[in-house]
Amino acid sequence: ALDESNSRKYGDIVEKLSNQSQLVVVTHNRETMSRAGVLYGVTIGGDGASKLLSVKFEEATAIAK
């Protein structure tokens, strides 16, 4: 696991690369996720079935305001 300082450095690298390429990153790291445009995930509903979800940060920010 990366400490906060190295998480920021890694996030900077990923952000730079994302300006030139489309990236798919599998992570639970908060810093890395905070730099994403879209998060995709799987969750388990109350009925025990898996559900796919996606969150686009621009849309979520607009809704939250």
Side-chain angles (χ1 to χ4, degrees), residues 31-43:
E31 180 68 30
T32 305
M33 290 190 295
S34 73
R35 297 179 187 234
V38 181
L39 290 179
Y40 297 99
V42 178
T43 187

Side-chain angles (χ1 to χ4, degrees), residues 1-61:
L2 298 173
D3 61 13
E4 289 298 315
S5 175
N6 285 319
S7 289
R8 282 190 293 278
K9 290 176 187 177
Y10 177 72
D12 291 342
I13 293 168
V14 170
E15 196 167 12
K16 272 186 186 177
L17 288 172
S18 71
N19 292 328
Q20 302 167 5
S21 300
Q22 185 176 25
L23 302 173
V24 175
V25 179
V26 178
T27 186
H28 286 102
N29 184 286
R30 286 178 292 176
E31 180 68 30
T32 305
M33 290 190 295
S34 73
R35 297 179 187 234
V38 181
L39 290 179
Y40 297 99
V42 178
T43 187
I44 298 176
D47 59 358
S50 296
K51 295 181 181 183
L52 299 176
L53 60 100
S54 66
V55 176
K56 294 181 181 176
F57 282 126
E58 287 181 13
E59 291 177 11
T61 303

